[in-house]
């Protein structure tokens, strides 16, 4: 049974449609990530589920129960905010105990202590339990904020870019941690981010949103390999997918209605001589990143970015010929069209 | 070949540089602050020191030619054993405590209401702030009219509300009511000030803390006690400090409203001080009283600020 379901939900703020006709269903124990740029409606979606906003239309269901009109306290959700929303005058322990000490719960203090120590251990903040919330570093604060959600056992955890204000190293660490915790506890999480790496590494399913619309929902593999349209394709992959006009690379497996070709770095093979069978490009610029090189190519008036082995000696002005493996094709409207099975290029 | 302009510049000595040229940076700094230091010495420090000196004498300002005699700590002993002074101190404490209590409750309450950001809340904020923009002398003056038993609006309003005869009670003339009159007028004037400080405190609490508490199933009551109050506390304490210092030395409004009367029921310390100094002309004695008041406020404020810093650090 779906733990959380949104049925045709819309919400606007004044003239801005924050969320449009959104339907989404999250299964028990599933980790769903909403991915999209700022203003895509991801946070509004979370807030609609939490009950911090009321939808203009549509219904919100949690554990099969319609909660559209219910206040947050009646919904059995936990929310991790983007800002460290700790109670600054309380200690870490009291912050973690806060949701458990709700009169609605009436939890035994002995039990509270046990839960807090469990969660503190999980998040490596045991040493900090006696500290005031304001005496913590950013990473510790966010771990406590996550901990305050984890001490409860709600139907769903809602997380709004919880790692975005942390530095890269800590983000990578907590990303792994969070996924591990989710696997161990089998919790249901709806997680919002604009970071494709977080989405790819943690999600069971990714929902790509833009301008209030859920464009595609699927496993990370599906979203990456079979994006519905050019927008979804451009959200994932680094360097970003190259979108070039179809006439530039005519032939091969290209379907007749293709107008744009999407070339990820793994779709492009460079042959270091100008007399290969494919189109010829000129190296415009090489970025050395240490473990890999980003090669900026010019083909006609279009630019392509691809990866190259750092051992490969390329320099600006070199001419290379290109071969393409299974690129993505998009029609006039930007929707993906399947390749011609018969005429695949070698 | 240099141009004419260049030669002109070279020949004209820089007057400021010429005058300051052989002064060090430190000397220049002193040059700039000396005027304000002198002013401070002349109108603050010197009078304070002189008052301290006078407080050990029998000096009377209306008899400048009388023999000046040093009386040691006699003035201080007389003051601390004078029941009238203790009465004035009690009247002051009563006034300070109750006025601040009322201003805190009303000011915090108003701030909570205004903070709900209803339609037209900024208009009401402006209206509420009006009393504190008036001069205390003006306030004292027009409240004497408002509290006038026969023609005053206050008595008539009470009469309309409760049905009692408007001239059956006197807010200013009655021994029991007079202390409450000055508390009421002070609260009327300064509640907006406390409200403003509380409002600043309430606005500094981010919304997401309340949202987190809501998701955590905290009732509005619990949100108030465990979020709002602790986070506004430093602001409340600051408001108490400002109002306490101000009301401890309150003179103008009380002087105009009751002049310490009836009898000496509303004779707060500052009014006693004025009487001793400029009606009885006991300059030495009143100097000692001034020093005692100064040390009291200064000491109390210092202790309080330490407590405030502890609350802030939490």
């Amino acid at each position: 049974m779906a733990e959380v379901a949104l049925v045709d939900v819309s919400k606007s703020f004044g003239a801005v449609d924050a969320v449009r006709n959104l339907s989404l269903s999250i299964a028990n124990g599933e980790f769903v990530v909403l991915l999209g740029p700022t203003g895509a409606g991801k946070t509004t979606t979370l807030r609609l589920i939490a009950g911090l906003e009321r939808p203009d239309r549509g219904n919100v269901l949690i554990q099969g129960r319609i909660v559209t009109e219910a206040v947050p306290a009646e919904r059995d959700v936990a929310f991790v905010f983007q800002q460290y929303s700790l109670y600054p005058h309380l200690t870490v322990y009291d912050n973690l105990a806060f949701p458990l000490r709700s009169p609605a719960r009436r939890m035994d203090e002995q039990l509270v202590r046990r839960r807090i120590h469990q969660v503190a251990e999980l998040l490596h903040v045991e040493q900090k339990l006696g500290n005031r919330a304001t005496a913590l570093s950013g990473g510790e604060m966010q771990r406590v904020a996550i901990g305050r959600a984890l001490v409860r056992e709600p139907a769903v955890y809602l997380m709004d870019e919880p790692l975005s204000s942390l530095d890269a190293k800590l983000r990578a660490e907590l990303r792994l941690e969070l996924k591990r915790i989710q696997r161990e506890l089998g919790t249901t999480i709806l997680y919002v981010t604009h970071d494709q790496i977080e989405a790819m590494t943690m999600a069971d399913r990714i929902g790509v949103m833009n301008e209030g619309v859920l464009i595609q929902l699927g496993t990370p593999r599906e979203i990456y390999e079979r994006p519905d349209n050019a927008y979804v394709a451009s959200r994932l992959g680094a360097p970003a997918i190259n979108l070039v006009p179809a006439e530039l690379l005519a032939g091969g497996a290209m379907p007749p209605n293709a107008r744009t070709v999407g070339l990820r770095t793994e779709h492009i093979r460079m042959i270091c001589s100008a007399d290969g069978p494919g189109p010829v490009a000129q190296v415009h610029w090489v970025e050395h990143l240490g473990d890999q090189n980003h090669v900026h190519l010019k083909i006609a008036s279009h630019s392509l970015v691809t990866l190259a082995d750092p051992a490969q000696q390329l320099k600006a002005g070199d001419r290379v010929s290109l071969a393409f493996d299974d690129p993505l094709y998009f029609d006039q409207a930007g929707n993906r069209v399947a390749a011609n099975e018969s005429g695949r290029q070698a | 070949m240099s141009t004419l302009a260049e030669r002109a510049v070279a020949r004209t000595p820089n007057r400021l540089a010429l005058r300051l040229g052989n002064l060090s940076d430190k000397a220049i700094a002193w040059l700039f602050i000396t005027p304000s230091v002198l002013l401070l010495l002349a109108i603050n420090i010197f009078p304070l020191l002189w008052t301290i000196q006078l407080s050990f004498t029998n000096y009377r300002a209306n008899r400048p030619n009388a023999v000046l005699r040093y009386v040691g700590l006699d003035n201080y002993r007389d003051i601390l054993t004078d029941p009238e002074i203790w009465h004035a101190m009690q009247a002051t404490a009563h006034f300070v405590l109750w006025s601040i209590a009322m201003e805190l409750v009303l000011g915090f309450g108003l701030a909570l209401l205004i903070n709900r950001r209803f339609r037209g809340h900024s208009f009401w904020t402006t209206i509420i702030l009006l009393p504190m923009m008036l001069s205390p002398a003006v306030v004292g003056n027009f409240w004497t009219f408002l509290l006038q038993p026969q023609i005053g609006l206050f008595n008539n309003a009470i009469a309309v509300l409760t049905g009692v005869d408007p001239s059956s009670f006197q807010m200013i003339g009655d021994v029991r009511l007079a202390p409450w009159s000055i508390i009421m007028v002070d609260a009327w004037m300064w509640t907006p000030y406390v409200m403003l400080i509380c409002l600043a405190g309430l606005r500094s609490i981010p919304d997401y803390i309340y949202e987190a508490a809501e998701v955590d199933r905290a009732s509005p009551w619990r949100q108030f006690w465990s979020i709002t109050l602790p986070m506004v506390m430093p602001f409340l304490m600051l408001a108490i400090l400002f109002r306490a210092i101000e009301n401890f030395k309150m003179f103008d409004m009380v002087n105009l409203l009751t002049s310490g009367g009836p009898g000496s029921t509303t004779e707060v310390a500052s009014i006693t001080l004025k009487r001793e100094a400029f009606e009885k002309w006991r300059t030495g004695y009143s100097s000692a009283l001034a020093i005692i008041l100064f040390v009291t406020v200064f000491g109390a404020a210092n202790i309080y600020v330490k407590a405030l810093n502890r609350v802030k650090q939490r």
Side-chain angles (χ1 to χ4, degrees), chain A residues 173-230:
Chain A
E173 231 169 78
L174 272 178
R175 204 167 62 211
L176 285 171
E177 202 89 320
L178 210 54
K179 185 64 193 171
R180 175 178 64 81
I181 292 166
Q182 190 260 342
R183 261 203 215 110
E184 275 175 26
L185 305 179
T187 51
T188 313
I189 297 182
L190 180 57
Y191 186 105
V192 155
T193 187
H194 59 254
D195 182 325
Q196 51 165 320
I197 299 173
E198 283 177 23
M200 290 298 286
T201 53
M202 292 195 289
D204 295 324
R205 282 192 298 160
I206 295 176
V208 179
M209 286 189 81
N210 191 33
E211 294 177 349
V213 178
L214 180 63
I215 297 174
Q216 189 178 356
L217 182 68
T219 64
R221 250 200 127 85
E222 278 168 11
I223 298 276
Y224 187 79
E225 290 175 0
R226 284 178 281 130
D228 282 354
N229 57 33

Side-chain angles (χ1 to χ4, degrees), chain B:
Chain B
M1 265 288 288
S2 50
T3 66
L4 186 66
E6 277 167 351
R7 268 178 288 151
V9 168
R11 289 242 184 109
T12 316
N14 183 335
R15 284 195 185 174
L16 196 66
L18 205 66
R19 278 191 210 158
L20 299 178
N22 43 10
L23 288 178
S24 66
D25 282 359
K26 206 170 177 181
I28 294 171
W30 271 107
L31 202 64
F32 280 113
I33 62 166
T34 301
S36 37
V37 168
L38 284 180
L39 213 61
L40 199 71
L41 281 173
I43 63 175
N44 269 345
I45 308 297
F46 167 68
L48 177 66
L49 294 176
W50 199 16
T51 309
I52 293 174
Q53 194 216 341
L54 287 178
S55 73
F56 298 112
T57 68
N58 68 343
Y59 181 69
R60 295 175 71 95
N62 63 341
R63 287 184 215 157
N65 298 324
V67 185
L68 191 67
R69 197 160 48 82
Y70 280 86
V71 296
L73 289 170
D74 282 5
N75 285 332
Y76 289 90
R77 190 198 59 211
D78 292 349
I79 289 166
L80 294 176
T81 54
D82 186 346
E84 268 183 46
I85 296 290
W86 285 108
H87 175 264
M89 288 303 219
Q90 269 174 358
T92 309
H94 181 267
F95 171 64
V96 170
L97 290 179
W98 282 105
S99 59
I100 289 178
M102 279 178 77
E103 283 156 25
L104 272 185
V105 171
L106 293 174
F108 194 32
L110 282 172
L112 284 172
L113 288 178
I114 292 284
N115 197 38
R116 301 192 148 200
R117 300 177 197 208
F118 51 88
R119 259 174 88 88
H121 71 268
S122 52
F123 169 77
W124 286 108
T125 312
T126 313
I127 294 287
I128 292 171
L129 290 184
L130 280 177
M132 88 180 213
M133 297 175 189
L134 301 172
S135 137
V138 172
V139 170
N141 237 331
F142 77 60
W143 271 96
T144 43
F145 288 110
L146 287 173
L147 294 174
Q148 219 278 338
Q150 280 85 34
I151 56 157
L153 263 178
F154 184 83
N155 280 39
N156 282 293
I158 294 286
V160 168
L161 289 175
T162 63
V164 299
D165 180 14
S167 50
S168 67
F169 64 99
Q170 301 185 8
M171 287 303 288
I172 290 174
D174 190 302
V175 178
R176 281 169 304 128
L177 292 178
W180 295 103
S181 304
I182 57 172
I183 289 165
M184 181 182 75
V185 174
D186 192 76
W188 176 85
M189 184 167 178
W190 291 109
T191 294
Y193 179 78
V194 176
M195 181 198 81
L196 212 55
I197 295 178
C198 290
L199 202 56
L202 290 173
R203 295 257 160 100
S204 75
I205 306 175
D207 286 343
Y208 57 77
I209 293 213
Y210 287 108
E211 291 183 340
E214 227 176 299
V215 174
D216 286 345
R217 300 186 169 178
S219 61
W221 188 244
R222 185 152 180 252
Q223 287 180 25
F224 177 82
W225 285 107
S226 54
I227 299 172
T228 311
L229 200 60
M231 291 185 78
V232 175
M233 196 44 102
F235 292 85
L236 279 179
M237 289 185 71
L238 213 57
I240 292 174
L241 178 69
F242 291 156
R243 289 313 307 146
I245 292 176
E246 198 69 12
N247 276 5
F248 195 82
K249 60 191 178 67
M250 165 62 68
F251 175 75
D252 36 14
M253 194 266 288
V254 175
N255 191 45
L256 275 159
L257 211 57
T258 65
S259 326
S264 59
T265 18
T266 60
E267 191 173 309
V268 291
S270 62
I271 292 195
T272 311
L273 184 60
K274 174 221 160 198
R275 286 201 173 148
E276 294 295 338
F278 303 108
E279 285 171 21
K280 300 181 186 167
W281 294 102
R282 297 167 72 186
T283 313
Y285 181 85
S286 55
S287 295
L289 179 55
I291 295 298
I292 288 174
L293 294 181
F294 169 71
V295 170
T296 310
V297 176
F298 194 73
N302 264 312
I303 294 167
Y304 189 87
V305 167
K306 285 211 175 73
L308 177 68
N309 284 335
R310 262 210 308 281
V311 169
K312 268 199 202 149
Q313 275 163 15
R314 283 206 321 224

